[in-house]
Amino acid sequence: MADLLQELNSQQQAAVAAPAGPVLVLAGPGSGKTRVLTYRIAYLIAALGVPPYQILAVTFTNKAARVMETRVNTLLGGKTDGLWLGTFHAICGRILRREAAHLPIDHNFVIFDADDQITLVKRVIKEMGVNDKDYRPHQVHARISSAKNDLIGPEDYPIENYRDETIAGIYKAYQAYLVGSNALDFDDMLLYTAKLLETNPTVREKYARRFRHILVDEFQDTNKAQYYLLTHLASVHHNIFVVGDEDQSIYRWRGADYQNILRFSSDFDHSQKILLEQNYRSTQTILDTAVAVIDDNKNRTQKHLFTDRGTGERVTVYEAKDDIEEASYVVDTIARQVMLGRAKESDFAIMYRTNAQSRLLEEAFRRANMSYRLIGAQRFYGRREVKDLISFMRLIYNPRDEISLARVINLPPRGIGNVTLEKLQNYARQKGQSSGEVLLSLGGGDARQAADALGRAADRLQSFAEMLTGWRLDLERMSLTELFDQVLRDTEYQAFITDDRDEEQDRWANVLELRQVLLEYEDQGMAQFLEAMALVADQDTLPETLEAPTLLTLHAAKGLEFPQVFIIGLDEQYLPHSRSMDDPEEMEEERRLFYVGITRAENCLYLVRAQRRRSPYGSYETMLPSRFLQPLPDELIQGRISRPIERRSTFDMSVYQWDRQYGSPSQRKRSAPPKAREQRFYPEMHVEHPVYGEGVVRNSRLEYGDETVEVYFEGIGLKALVASLSSLEVLGEE
DNA sequence: GCATCGGATTTTTTT
DNA sequence: AATCCGATGC
């Protein structure tokens, strides 16, 4: 083991061999964070003789968990039996299944994924007679989710206005539905576990005593539920070792709070703090670029990132004329380097803010006859036929699952429409049962009462009820794939999906692929299979070995590294994203996201923008260069971007065209526009524009020597205007 | 009960 | 552009 410590620098050694007690490791990007975690585990086991089952290691993603597992196994030669290593959600699932006796659900609960959650919110909204225009299911769900992440149950939901009251009502009904379905959603997994540990001292002690050592990855991304969960688990031994970097906190929208890093030092007495500042990944130029960007954030502790990898190449900044050229620039640049033998396809990653941005890239790659691997978005598990069949499995495993039942009961169509389904649901509710339980008694044959009450509906339900009853028995005596095949046969599913004209091949192929996945769970059983389906992200399903460039969102890029990185879409509204313009905290998060992207690069970094893009709306829109490009010092970059004032192309074209046609005071006299030195416009100001009329300023900032004003015009929407070109008049302030 | 059509509405990031 | 929802007609 002493040998192993030799392979680490002194900061890493200090962390790995830190004495027991709370330890906070602040790890800059590329500083060997995973290395420290895995060596720490190996150190505890091999050098200190801690039995593996007394160690708990938590990550956020399955990928991170898998990487750690393999590395620990390599270090220890496989002597890790009993070690708990997994994502927060997987660990919680494990605890909750064991402790189901203390919960309102039983141990074979199912997990509702994002789609199920929305479906359920919609259903509740409908049943409550709430207008879904005023209460958008996605928004309502977001409110429920963030309440859960803050450990706020339906009863404690803070009510300040009528809207809150309605949402609290939906939350309550939503939660009741989950319990009735013997189901949890993602957030419940954390919430239930945290609450259980908080309220039940016996259970808390059981786990807190067991886990002598707790290690946490990506600590800056923990939310309140996760933080308290960890606090409870560490309440006996206090040996909690967390690794994080506040500059890489990018999950605020999911309730993550990087302030947990500060909280850690004050909540855990005598905690040690260790900084990892040496970067082993990137060239100095890339690090300097990253620092130049992140320095604009206010709430952060400065770190002194350094590397001995040398200066390296300058960062390439490229401005494409439009989004199509942006994509072909990326593909051309990669193709050229590959052709020259200077790089191989898998050296490259292309990162973007939103999944939608991958489309033009994919088209460009296909045009060039090059393969690529796309992370996320295309979603094997999101395919209809895959979801359908998982729903069948879920319903068989847990007949109380109302959402799965509603999904598959008429699949393929067998004459059970909404009316029949509602009759069934109403009857079930009357009886205090779930729809599935009613079906099972119907299928069992001794339910004269139900059959009478349901009348004609019962006839239609009968055959499905019998199938379901049969599958329940099959579950006991068949293997998983046999059951799967039985369901396919009974429902004549293949004929159903092959009925459609196009992509029929694909859809059946997906079914077979799912069957293949099921085969891997033959030994572990249905519970494990369903849990994996719910918790394993699509990111994990891609072949690692494919020799091709990787396309992924900036979020998905965290924790990865590539020799050459493209970040595209460096335009206002894209990065930073339009949704984060109003809130300084969110703007800082966008900057961190960019920082994460930059620091993925080992040797070469390309920052790409486009002067105009086709908006997901319709026609082309002129873009302003991202504010994040501004702090980059000239000596670090090669290539230029046009400044809004120097090139006409980057201000609001509609205004310009109008001005040119009809002339406006500002346009008539001026040859070179006067540069704004001082900000003239502030949020809430009322202004008048010659074309759009009166509006209210939302936001304004000085950049590139001029002032860019975002104004909201009634009936027109938000417009970004360049102050010196658009003759805005101030009407007054509120 | 089901299929089809038209209109409205959408847009971040993910365990 | 794509999806979702509701209304309409069969």
Side-chain angles (χ1 to χ4, degrees):
Chain A
M1 201 58 214
D3 294 352
L4 286 179
L5 286 179
Q6 301 291 310
E7 298 165 14
L8 306 168
N9 70 31
S10 59
Q11 290 173 316
Q12 291 171 337
Q13 277 180 25
V16 168
V23 181
L24 169 65
V25 179
L26 293 177
S31 62
K33 176 176 66 92
T34 310
R35 197 175 167 85
V36 163
L37 277 167
T38 49
Y39 275 62
R40 171 81 176 176
I41 296 174
Y43 175 81
L44 291 173
I45 296 172
L48 301 189
V50 178
Y53 71 86
Q54 292 183 357
I55 301 176
L56 169 69
V58 202
T59 65
F60 272 83
T61 64
N62 295 294
K63 202 185 331 168
R66 240 194 347 245
V67 168
M68 273 175 65
E69 192 170 16
T70 358
R71 292 214 209 159
V72 172
N73 270 322
T74 314
L75 286 177
L76 291 176
K79 288 177 293 186
T80 56
D81 276 0
L83 171 71
W84 277 37
L85 192 162
T87 64
F88 271 101
H89 290 84
I91 300 284
C92 288
R94 213 147 142 186
I95 294 177
L96 292 174
R97 286 206 199 272
R98 294 178 172 215
E99 307 301 334
H102 307 287
L103 303 171
I105 46 167
D106 57 55
H107 75 278
N108 59 340
F109 61 82
V110 294
I111 299 162
F112 277 9
D113 66 20
D115 286 345
D116 302 327
Q117 292 169 41
I118 297 301
T119 311
L120 184 48
V121 171
K122 278 184 190 157
R123 183 143 153 194
V124 170
I125 284 177
K126 199 169 204 171
E127 280 180 12
M128 288 176 59
V130 174
N131 181 353
D132 66 354
K133 296 279 175 340
D134 298 336
Y135 294 87
R136 293 266 169 64
H138 279 98
Q139 280 175 21
V140 174
H141 177 257
R143 296 282 291 270
I144 294 176
S145 175
S146 64
K148 288 184 175 183
N149 288 327
D150 280 343
L151 294 174
I152 298 169
E155 275 72 30
D156 324 320
Y157 194 84
I159 292 170
E160 279 166 17
N161 49 44
Y162 179 69
R163 191 179 172 78
D164 294 340
E165 206 171 304
T166 312
I167 290 175
I170 298 171
Y171 184 7
K172 206 171 286 179
Y174 172 85
Q175 211 55 21
Y177 243 117
L178 280 167
V179 172
S181 289
N182 193 27
L184 300 182
D185 67 15
F186 284 139
D187 305 314
D188 283 337
M189 304 193 74
L190 307 174
L191 176 77
Y192 275 71
T193 316
K195 289 264 181 198
L196 176 66
L197 294 173
E198 182 190 321
T199 55
N200 190 320
T202 323
V203 175
R204 181 175 63 236
E205 295 235 334
K206 177 170 154 192
Y207 291 95
R209 221 176 275 289
R210 169 183 177 142
F211 295 126
R212 188 170 291 271
H213 290 275
I214 298 170
L215 299 93
V216 189
D217 191 16
E218 308 279 14
F219 187 70
Q220 76 284 352
D221 285 330
T222 49
N223 60 34
K224 196 168 174 179
Q226 287 158 331
Y227 185 84
Y228 280 102
L229 183 67
L230 292 169
T231 312
H232 293 313
L233 288 175
S235 59
V236 171
H237 299 294
H238 308 286
N239 295 329
I240 177 164
F241 183 96
V242 306
V243 181
D245 178 5
E246 55 211 309
D247 292 334
Q248 294 186 63
S249 166
I250 54 174
Y251 287 103
R252 206 177 93 93
W253 49 276
R254 224 167 68 186
D257 185 0
Y258 62 86
Q259 307 255 4
N260 281 345
I261 287 184
L262 302 177
R263 220 160 276 148
F264 185 88
S265 301
S266 58
D267 282 3
F268 290 95
D269 294 336
H270 314 297
S271 70
Q272 311 166 62
K273 191 195 272 185
I274 295 165
L275 264 65
L276 303 183
E277 292 169 315
Q278 176 163 9
N279 175 293
Y280 294 94
R281 178 185 297 150
S282 311
T283 63
Q284 193 63 49
T285 300
I286 289 168
L287 281 190
D288 291 347
T289 306
V291 169
V293 168
I294 202 69
D295 255 357
D296 282 352
N297 271 3
K298 305 220 164 48
N299 301 315
R300 62 182 291 270
T301 42
Q302 287 243 328
K303 281 184 234 51
H304 307 280
L305 302 180
F306 65 98
T307 181
D308 55 13
R309 289 215 38 215
T311 316
E313 301 203 18
R314 287 186 178 211
V315 174
T316 305
V317 175
Y318 183 78
E319 180 172 73
K321 106 180 167 313
D322 58 30
D323 45 4
I324 295 175
E325 200 219 312
E326 175 185 59
S328 50
Y329 166 76
V330 171
V331 174
D332 290 350
T333 309
I334 294 174
R336 194 172 44 222
Q337 291 201 52
V338 171
M339 204 138 49
L340 293 172
R342 278 201 296 212
K344 55 183 196 296
E345 283 94 330
S346 57
D347 288 347
F348 297 92
I350 307 138
M351 303 172 185
Y352 34 79
R353 176 68 235 265
T354 64
N355 279 306
Q357 289 171 267
S358 72
R359 233 185 68 197
L360 290 174
L361 287 166
E362 292 182 67
E363 284 170 20
F365 274 114
R366 275 197 291 264
R367 271 200 305 275
N369 253 327
M370 290 170 69
S371 54
Y372 57 87
R373 50 194 285 263
L374 178 71
I375 301 213
Q378 116 271 32
R379 318 210 5 195
F380 172 72
Y381 293 109
R383 306 298 278 276
R384 198 175 3 151
E385 58 278 13
V386 175
K387 290 214 71 173
D388 284 350
L389 287 164
I390 292 177
S391 289
F392 273 112
M393 295 291 132
R394 255 171 46 172
L395 180 65
I396 296 167
Y397 176 70
N398 171 38
R400 278 150 66 191
D401 181 342
E402 296 284 344
I403 296 295
S404 292
L405 181 133
R407 186 184 179 101
V408 304
I409 193 167
N410 197 31
L411 228 151
R414 55 174 67 84
I416 305 174
N418 276 332
V419 178
T420 309
L421 181 58
E422 266 170 40
K423 259 187 203 152
L424 171 64
Q425 286 166 348
N426 287 334
Y427 177 74
R429 186 165 324 157
Q430 233 179 311
K431 298 277 289 181
Q433 284 183 321
S434 64
S435 311
E437 286 164 324
V438 172
L439 281 183
L440 285 177
S441 47
L442 219 51
D446 57 353
R448 229 176 308 123
Q449 195 197 354
D452 291 347
L454 287 165
R456 250 199 340 230
D459 301 340
R460 296 170 185 271
L461 292 170
Q462 191 62 38
S463 74
F464 185 80
E466 281 165 17
M467 276 196 281
L468 181 60
T469 312
W471 296 331
R472 286 281 292 169
L473 296 172
D474 295 341
L475 178 63
E476 303 298 322
R477 58 178 186 225
M478 284 183 181
S479 74
L480 295 185
T481 39
E482 280 167 350
L483 174 62
F484 187 80
D485 294 340
Q486 186 68 42
V487 171
L488 290 178
R489 256 197 311 277
D490 288 348
T491 57
E492 297 170 42
Y493 196 80
Q494 181 173 14
F496 166 59
I497 59 164
T498 327
D499 221 21
D500 294 332
R501 351 161 249 299
D502 47 7
E503 53 166 9
E504 57 201 31
Q505 232 78 9
D506 272 8
R507 297 182 64 193
W508 184 245
N510 287 332
V511 173
L512 293 179
E513 197 176 329
L514 181 65
R515 188 180 185 278
Q516 213 52 38
V517 177
L518 196 64
L519 203 54
E520 289 167 33
Y521 284 87
E522 208 68 272
D523 296 334
Q524 298 176 62
M526 188 68 105
Q528 289 301 309
F529 169 72
L530 292 177
E531 184 150 323
M533 292 303 97
L535 296 183
V536 171
D538 292 297
Q539 336 258 26
D540 305 305
T541 63
L542 285 159
E544 294 282 323
T545 49
L546 190 61
E547 181 52 50
T550 303
L551 277 57
L552 72 181
T553 63
L554 288 162
H555 282 89
K558 189 159 77 156
L560 306 177
E561 56 188 10
F562 300 89
Q564 306 206 38
V565 168
F566 292 84
I567 302 176
I568 68 163
L570 276 157
D571 296 288
E572 291 287 300
Q573 315 296 316
Y574 279 75
L575 185 64
H577 193 269
S578 51
R579 294 282 286 257
S580 42
M581 295 295 176
D582 308 334
D583 182 349
E585 288 276 346
E586 287 193 23
M587 185 55 72
E588 296 216 335
E589 178 142 317
E590 296 290 304
R591 199 173 276 116
R592 291 195 292 268
L593 197 49
F594 185 36
Y595 174 80
V596 166
I598 294 172
T599 54
R600 300 307 97 196
E602 294 168 5
N603 305 324
C604 297
L605 176 66
Y606 306 81
L607 306 177
V608 193
R609 71 166 295 250
Q611 289 170 353
R612 43 181 221 137
R613 297 177 181 278
R614 192 188 290 276
S615 71
Y617 232 40
S619 60
Y620 271 100
E621 268 178 25
T622 306
M623 297 281 113
L624 287 169
S626 169
R627 68 190 71 186
F628 298 157
L629 290 172
Q630 214 182 0
L632 304 187
D634 285 342
E635 63 271 20
L636 294 180
I637 62 176
Q638 54 185 2
R640 287 194 71 78
I641 49 156
S642 56
R643 309 276 136 132
I645 294 313
E646 294 159 7
R647 293 264 229 96
R648 290 268 148 82
S649 54
T650 41
F651 61 84
D652 187 320
M653 204 39 124
S654 57
V655 176
Y656 175 65
Q657 281 164 343
W658 192 90
D659 282 349
R660 211 165 46 169
Q661 256 179 298
Y662 302 101
S664 73
S666 65
Q667 193 69 29
R668 249 179 277 133
K669 298 205 186 91
R670 194 195 51 238
S671 48
K675 290 193 170 182
R677 278 288 149 78
E678 279 178 16
Q679 199 167 337
R680 280 172 55 218
F681 300 95
Y682 294 93
E684 303 304 323
M685 263 186 185
H686 285 243
V687 293
E688 181 164 17
H689 184 273
V691 184
Y692 300 134
E694 289 185 28
V696 182
V697 175
R698 278 288 177 77
N699 205 352
S700 183
R701 58 189 177 269
L702 288 175
E703 52 183 19
Y704 310 119
D706 206 322
E707 185 171 3
T708 306
V709 196
E710 287 168 18
V711 187
Y712 183 81
F713 295 99
E714 195 66 46
I716 294 170
L718 201 58
K719 288 277 168 192
L721 306 170
V722 176
S724 62
L725 293 174
S726 54
S727 53
L728 275 178
E729 303 270 90
V730 178
L731 292 179
E733 259 173 278
E734 238 179 18

